[in-house]
């Protein structure tokens, strides 16, 4: 076989000296001049094999390059490419400024012909971009300096920073910003959030420790803040992100769904509140966080059916709550510490999600949050099927939502070659709780859904893959098609028309803002 390969005729008629190309093609000679040094990005960026040419010509100027491709492409590179498809809009201009890019090289001839004139007009009319060089249809723009991301790192200092979003992938390039902040001095244990760094979750802060700052997308709706961070105050903003600062009345914050949370029955929680902390576990918690003064608790509750619950603070009167389906807050009157507090469900499925220890609060009683969407997922292996359950309460009003269960080749399957199948159902925007069950036969690709115990219409599509490793997730989109949430369900292996392996994801409870 080796001899046969050598017998293949080699066409050597088009011999070109690579070094001649490197020394003659512009703008790389101009970029190589010392006065023009600095990080650069070349557009169009593909996050794929065509970016290799940028790396090749970069061996002439040796400037730090945003683009790149090899046998391993970091997810952040792909996310950044997706963001830069909109360049030069205000968000992507601010994004590159935060990453301290100096030059943007635009190979206009590589864009579709019908887009070139419009792109050139937008580039030339963007005040932060100054045209400094061009060679043919290759244009170099210098980006106005604004190292806002480095300033944010200085502002956070030795504190903690939460990086995330209220809607899944509202700003995919948040991962790149979090990575850059690590490069610029913030330690990994200082940064947490609900995004990934590479293929791993960024992590969470120690149980009870509130974030000093939060970095979130600068959404048009100023209320579009991740659950649990609504009381933070604006500290800095630009077209890409907002930096929020912790409300000083917040002493401690305990997310009972976080990985580091104690294993509690969230329907029956005993607490002991002190001046600087809350302990969990009934009698054994007494005395922790003691000290004089008064404090208040903001208790976040979730229910997937109308429920009844009792709350008692210290020696005060037991209060019975009618908890609606969805997310609610119960804010206590200020009470002297130390004090014992209990939350106990009487009926339904109400759970205690988080506990915020505060100073200076006034009693607001029970307040519903109808704009939030709670979600709970779980999976199991049935008799010949892979089964999932979704509990959800969609906000009332507006267009209906769409729930989609997707199965892709693991780990890099894309549509359509790596798409096993996709199945969608309607989620009514009626403010009511609904229970969905999904049943997938991984051999025949048959799929059926029930809503509240009754069969419901499913819109399905099946692809070609049948062998290998697969990953199944469930996503929810709003009426405009925007992605609201995406949650993993399970992994499975299929070989020769047999299910050879299955692994379910842990049951998960979360709250999103659709």
């Amino acid at each position: 076989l080796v001899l046969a390969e050598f017998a293949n005729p080699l066409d050597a008629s088009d011999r070109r000296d690579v070094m001649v190309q490197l020394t003659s093609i512009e703008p790389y000679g101009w970029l190589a001049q010392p006065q023009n040094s600095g990080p650069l990005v070349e557009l169009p960026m593909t996050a794929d094999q065509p970016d290799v040419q940028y790396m090749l010509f970069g061996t002439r100027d040796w400037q730090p390059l945003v683009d790149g491709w090899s046998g391993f492409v970091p997810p952040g590179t792909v996310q950044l490419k997706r963001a830069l498809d909109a360049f030069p809009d205000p968000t992507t201009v601010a994004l590159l400024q935060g990453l301290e890019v100096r030059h943007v090289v635009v190979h206009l001839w590589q864009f579709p012909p019908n887009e070139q004139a419009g792109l050139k007009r937008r580039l030339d009319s963007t005040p932060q971009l100054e045209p400094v060089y061009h060679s043919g249809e290759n244009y170099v723009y210098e980006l106005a300096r604004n190292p806002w991301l480095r300033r944010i790192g200085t502002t956070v200092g030795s504190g903690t920073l939460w990086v995330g979003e209220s809607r899944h992938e509202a700003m995919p390039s948040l991962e790149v910003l979090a990575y850059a902040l690590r490069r610029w001095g913030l330690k990994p244990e200082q940064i947490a959030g609900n995004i990934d760094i590479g293929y791993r979750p960024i992590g969470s802060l120690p149980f009870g420790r509130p974030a000093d700052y939060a970095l979130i997308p600068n959404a048009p709706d100023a209320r579009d803040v991740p659950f649990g961070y609504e009381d933070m105050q604006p500290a800095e903003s630009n077209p890409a992100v907002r930096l929020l600062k912790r409300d000083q009345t917040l002493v401690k914050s305990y997310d009972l769904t976080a990985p580091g949370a104690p294993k509690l029955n969230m329907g029956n929680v005993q607490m002991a509140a002190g001046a600087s902390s809350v302990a969990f576990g009934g009698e054994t918690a007494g005395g922790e966080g003691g000290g004089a003064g008064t404090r208040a608790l903001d208790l976040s509750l979730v229910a997937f059916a109308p429920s009844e619950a009792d709350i008692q603070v210290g020696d005060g009167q037991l209060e019975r709550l009618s908890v609606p389906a969805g997310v609610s807050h119960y804010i206590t009157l200020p009470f002297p510490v130390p004090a014992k507090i209990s939350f106990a469900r009487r009926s339904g499925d109400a759970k205690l999600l988080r506990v915020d220890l505060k100073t200076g609060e006034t009693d607001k009683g029970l307040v519903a949050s109808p704009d939030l969407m709670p979600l709970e997922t779980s999976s199991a292996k049935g008799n010949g099927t892979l089964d999932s359950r979704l509990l959800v309460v969609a906000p009332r009003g507006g267009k209906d939502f769409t729930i989609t269960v997707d199965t892709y080749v693991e780990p890099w399957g894309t549509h359509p070659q790596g798409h096993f199948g996709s199945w969608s159902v309607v989620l009514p925007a009626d403010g009511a709780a609904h229970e969905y069950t999904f049943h997938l036969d991984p051999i025949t690709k048959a799929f059926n859904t029930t809503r509240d115990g009754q069969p419901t219409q499913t819109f399905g599509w099946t692809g070609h893959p049948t062998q290998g490793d697969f990953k199944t997730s469930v996503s929810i989109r709003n009426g405009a098609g925007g992605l609201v949430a995406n949650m993993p369900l399970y992994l499975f292996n299929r070989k020769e028309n047999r299910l050879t392996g299955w692994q379910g994801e842990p049951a998960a409870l979360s709250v999103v803002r659709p």
Side-chain angles (χ1 to χ4, degrees), residues 301-326:
L301 314 177
V302 64
F304 292 99
S307 305
E308 297 286 332
D310 292 335
I311 288 182
Q312 184 167 19
V313 179
D315 296 327
Q317 184 176 355
L318 184 73
E319 184 170 358
R320 182 159 299 171
L321 306 179
S322 295
V323 183

Side-chain angles (χ1 to χ4, degrees), residues 303-348:
F304 292 99
S307 305
E308 297 286 332
D310 292 335
I311 288 182
Q312 184 167 19
V313 179
D315 296 327
Q317 184 176 355
L318 184 73
E319 184 170 358
R320 182 159 299 171
L321 306 179
S322 295
V323 183
V327 179
S328 306
H329 289 268
Y330 179 81
I331 302 177
T332 70
L333 283 167
F335 55 83
V337 292
K340 292 183 180 180
I341 301 96
S342 65
F343 168 83
R345 179 176 62 224
R346 293 181 61 87
S347 65

Side-chain angles (χ1 to χ4, degrees), residues 131-149:
V132 290
Y133 183 85
H134 83 275
S135 174
E137 291 296 295
N138 303 303
Y139 297 87
V140 182
Y141 293 84
E142 185 166 354
L143 185 61
R145 188 172 183 274
N146 180 13
W148 58 264
L149 188 60

Side-chain angles (χ1 to χ4, degrees), residues 217-239:
N218 196 355
D221 186 351
R223 299 171 300 171
D224 192 12
V225 177
F227 174 66
Y229 294 84
E230 297 90 341
D231 292 337
M232 299 188 86
Q233 305 300 313
E236 184 175 336
S237 68
N238 60 51

Side-chain angles (χ1 to χ4, degrees), residues 72 94 157 187 191 237 245 253 286 292 326 332 334 357 378 429 451 456 463 470:
F72 172 78
K187 299 177 181 178
I191 306 179
S237 68
K245 186 176 182 180
S253 182
T332 70
L357 179 66
S378 59
R451 182 175 73 201
T456 188
F470 298 95

Side-chain angles (χ1 to χ4, degrees), residues 186-273:
L186 289 189
K187 299 177 181 178
E189 58 267 24
Q190 291 180 260
I191 306 179
N194 63 359
I195 62 172
D196 291 340
I197 290 283
Y199 290 104
R200 296 182 179 180
I202 192 173
S204 57
L205 296 174
F207 181 65
R209 182 174 181 181
D212 297 308
Y213 295 90
L215 188 66
I216 66 173
N218 196 355
D221 186 351
R223 299 171 300 171
D224 192 12
V225 177
F227 174 66
Y229 294 84
E230 297 90 341
D231 292 337
M232 299 188 86
Q233 305 300 313
E236 184 175 336
S237 68
N238 60 51
V241 299
R242 280 184 286 164
L243 181 69
L244 306 179
K245 186 176 182 180
R246 177 166 63 91
D247 182 352
Q248 293 305 303
T249 66
L250 179 63
V251 180
K252 288 283 187 178
S253 182
Y254 302 87
D255 182 355
L256 299 184
T257 68
K263 302 301 181 184
L264 300 172
N265 175 0
M266 294 166 65
N268 190 344
V269 181
Q270 305 298 312
M271 297 166 276

Side-chain angles (χ1 to χ4, degrees), residues 102-436:
R102 182 182 181 188
H103 290 121
V104 181
V105 180
V106 180
H107 303 283
L108 195 63
W109 57 276
Q110 292 189 28
F111 287 84
N114 63 327
E115 298 179 8
Q116 294 176 11
L119 175 58
K120 187 66 167 59
R121 283 194 300 270
R122 293 195 303 275
L123 291 166
D124 292 341
S125 61
T126 301
Q128 297 89 346
L129 295 174
E130 179 186 357
V132 290
Y133 183 85
H134 83 275
S135 174
E137 291 296 295
N138 303 303
Y139 297 87
V140 182
Y141 293 84
E142 185 166 354
L143 185 61
R145 188 172 183 274
N146 180 13
W148 58 264
L149 188 60
R150 195 180 293 264
R151 288 199 305 270
I152 283 177
T154 302
T155 300
V156 173
S158 60
T160 55
L161 177 69
W162 189 91
V163 183
E165 52 203 345
S166 60
R167 302 179 185 180
H168 181 77
E169 291 191 346
M171 186 178 175
S173 46
L174 276 175
E175 175 182 349
V176 181
L177 300 182
Y179 183 75
L181 284 166
R182 286 186 176 184
R183 297 265 321 239
W184 290 336
L186 289 189
K187 299 177 181 178
E189 58 267 24
Q190 291 180 260
I191 306 179
N194 63 359
I195 62 172
D196 291 340
I197 290 283
Y199 290 104
R200 296 182 179 180
I202 192 173
S204 57
L205 296 174
F207 181 65
R209 182 174 181 181
D212 297 308
Y213 295 90
L215 188 66
I216 66 173
N218 196 355
D221 186 351
R223 299 171 300 171
D224 192 12
V225 177
F227 174 66
Y229 294 84
E230 297 90 341
D231 292 337
M232 299 188 86
Q233 305 300 313
E236 184 175 336
S237 68
N238 60 51
V241 299
R242 280 184 286 164
L243 181 69
L244 306 179
K245 186 176 182 180
R246 177 166 63 91
D247 182 352
Q248 293 305 303
T249 66
L250 179 63
V251 180
K252 288 283 187 178
S253 182
Y254 302 87
D255 182 355
L256 299 184
T257 68
K263 302 301 181 184
L264 300 172
N265 175 0
M266 294 166 65
N268 190 344
V269 181
Q270 305 298 312
M271 297 166 276
S276 58
S277 67
V278 176
F280 298 84
E283 296 298 327
T284 61
E288 181 172 330
T294 60
R295 294 290 184 265
L297 291 182
D298 183 347
L299 307 178
S300 299
L301 314 177
V302 64
F304 292 99
S307 305
E308 297 286 332
D310 292 335
I311 288 182
Q312 184 167 19
V313 179
D315 296 327
Q317 184 176 355
L318 184 73
E319 184 170 358
R320 182 159 299 171
L321 306 179
S322 295
V323 183
V327 179
S328 306
H329 289 268
Y330 179 81
I331 302 177
T332 70
L333 283 167
F335 55 83
V337 292
K340 292 183 180 180
I341 301 96
S342 65
F343 168 83
R345 179 176 62 224
R346 293 181 61 87
S347 65
D349 65 351
K351 297 178 181 178
L352 182 59
L353 273 179
R354 53 187 301 132
V355 177
D356 290 335
L357 179 66
K358 293 187 173 184
T359 62
E361 279 291 338
T362 57
D363 176 34
K364 295 181 182 177
L366 184 68
V367 181
S369 299
D371 58 330
L372 298 176
M373 177 188 287
L375 310 160
E376 188 172 62
T377 58
S378 59
S379 297
K381 185 173 179 293
N383 184 16
T385 59
L386 305 180
D387 305 329
S388 303
R389 179 173 178 255
L390 170 67
L391 295 174
V392 57
V393 181
R396 183 187 303 276
K399 296 181 179 180
D400 290 342
F401 297 81
T402 301
I403 302 174
T404 301
V405 176
D406 266 316
T407 298
Y408 280 92
V409 173
E410 171 73 5
W412 295 298
T414 57
H415 181 81
Q417 292 86 356
H419 202 168
F420 182 90
S422 175
W423 301 271
S424 298
V425 295
V426 173
L427 168 61
D430 57 7
H434 293 289
E435 178 181 1
Y436 288 83

Side-chain angles (χ1 to χ4, degrees), residues 476-490:
I476 299 178
R477 294 185 178 273
N478 57 31
L483 189 60
V484 171
N486 186 43
M487 298 150 288
L489 294 177
Y490 50 79

